[in-house]
Amino acid sequence: MLCGGCIDFENVHFGYLTDRKILDGVSFSVPAGKSVAIVGTSGSGKSTILRLLYRFFDPQAGAIKVDGQHIKNVTLESLRRSIAVVPQDTVLFNDTIFHNIHYGRLSASQEEVYDAARRAAIHDTIMNFPERYSTVVGERGLKLSGGEKQRVALARAFLKAPSILLCDEATSALDSTTEAEILTALRSLANNRTSIFIAHRLTTAMQCDQIIVLENGKVVEQGAHEILLSRGGRYAQLWGQQNNTTELTDSLVKVP
């Protein structure tokens, strides 16, 4: 049985194909109740770390531990019960919005579902729908906006009340205003939970206790935002590139 404390990756090696290594000896620790952001360019192995932790795959070498227990030695049910995932593209059923939130914990009461929706800041939106919680969301949630779908994913996670929270670029497809609102709810959800954020936007990463920088399947830097910036290394380079891109986009928007 997992209590969802610290997470340890110990010299983990993994590749989807035998001749193409994705993770090349990755080691890091996430202390219980702390948040860690994993950043890096596309293909560096960020999302693979979450897939291994959720045991969609097992590493070819090395160990992944939660609370000091090798995750191979606990049942999948026990492992996955202690983890909630907020993905980039939330998978919704062609069913009511109530059922889509309730799926986070099917034993939850109606009031608990409503409370989870309030904490994810989607309850008021739902109450403005003509059929409220009986509203059918459509195939893959096509009747909801991107921000609304993410809030349903957050409500599911609040309802599940996990020990471990995994966020896989949960705000990357949203506009900046909606992103800020979702991040506020995510911070509330991550409070006092062991949390791993896969972050493309470094504004998400900077709010975490620690940042891990991946490059070609290896950890090349690790530390808090200000410390990594002061080192002038790979993270500082990524930060500079992203800010320059943002400034360029803003200037183009302002051109009459």
Side-chain angles (χ1 to χ4, degrees):
M1 180 66 185
L2 296 173
C3 299
C6 62
I7 297 170
D8 292 296
F9 273 61
E10 300 175 356
N11 195 30
V12 171
H13 294 257
F14 177 77
Y16 297 103
L17 304 171
T18 53
D19 58 345
R20 183 168 176 259
K21 189 169 280 191
I22 302 296
L23 299 181
D24 188 10
V26 167
S27 296
F28 64 86
S29 293
V30 186
K34 297 295 184 181
S35 60
V36 164
I38 301 175
V39 305
T41 54
S42 296
S44 59
K46 303 186 298 296
S47 293
T48 297
I49 285 174
L50 298 196
R51 292 178 191 135
L52 292 177
L53 187 55
Y54 208 66
R55 281 204 70 196
F56 285 132
F57 303 93
D58 289 323
Q60 275 103 32
I64 303 171
K65 297 178 180 178
V66 175
D67 282 340
Q69 299 180 69
H70 199 304
I71 62 172
K72 278 187 176 181
N73 298 333
V74 299
T75 65
L76 271 179
E77 181 188 6
S78 173
L79 175 69
R80 292 178 178 174
R81 194 189 308 124
S82 68
I83 298 173
V85 181
V86 181
Q88 180 177 5
D89 184 21
T90 302
V91 177
L92 299 183
F93 306 109
N94 188 11
D95 206 317
T96 64
I97 199 164
F98 180 90
H99 174 73
N100 273 283
I101 296 172
H102 197 209
Y103 181 72
R105 180 164 54 88
L106 292 171
S107 62
S109 67
Q110 186 180 67
E111 189 50 49
E112 285 176 315
V113 171
Y114 295 164
D115 182 59
R118 287 187 191 98
R119 295 173 72 185
I122 194 174
H123 176 76
D124 291 345
T125 300
I126 294 170
M127 295 305 286
N128 284 326
F129 292 157
E131 296 186 43
R132 300 186 175 182
Y133 277 86
S134 297
T135 300
V136 176
V137 303
E139 196 70 40
R140 296 183 66 83
L142 61 84
K143 294 182 181 179
L144 301 180
S145 70
E148 288 165 349
K149 287 172 67 175
Q150 287 302 81
R151 290 185 195 281
V152 170
L154 278 169
R156 276 181 184 171
F158 273 117
L159 190 64
K160 190 172 186 180
S163 302
I164 297 169
L165 175 66
L166 307 178
C167 297
D168 191 1
E169 303 206 30
T171 63
S172 63
L174 304 176
D175 62 85
S176 56
T177 302
T178 307
E179 178 195 23
E181 293 169 352
I182 297 291
L183 280 176
T184 299
L186 272 174
R187 281 198 298 275
S188 172
L189 179 58
N191 189 39
N192 294 323
R193 286 192 170 92
T194 307
S195 309
I196 296 180
F197 290 80
I198 303 300
H200 171 67
R201 295 182 183 176
L202 300 185
T203 48
T204 303
M206 68 182 289
Q207 298 169 39
C208 293
D209 297 313
Q210 290 283 310
I211 298 166
I212 293 166
V213 185
L214 279 185
E215 194 78 17
N216 298 320
K218 294 178 182 288
V219 176
V220 295
E221 280 188 304
Q222 187 170 350
H225 171 74
E226 295 296 341
I227 293 171
L228 291 180
L229 276 186
S230 69
R231 288 179 188 164
R234 184 65 178 128
Y235 180 77
Q237 186 181 17
L238 291 170
W239 179 263
Q241 289 171 348
Q242 200 160 105
N243 283 349
N244 287 341
T245 303
T246 303
E247 288 168 8
L248 176 61
T249 303
D250 289 346
S251 66
L252 290 173
V253 169
K254 291 172 184 174
V255 172

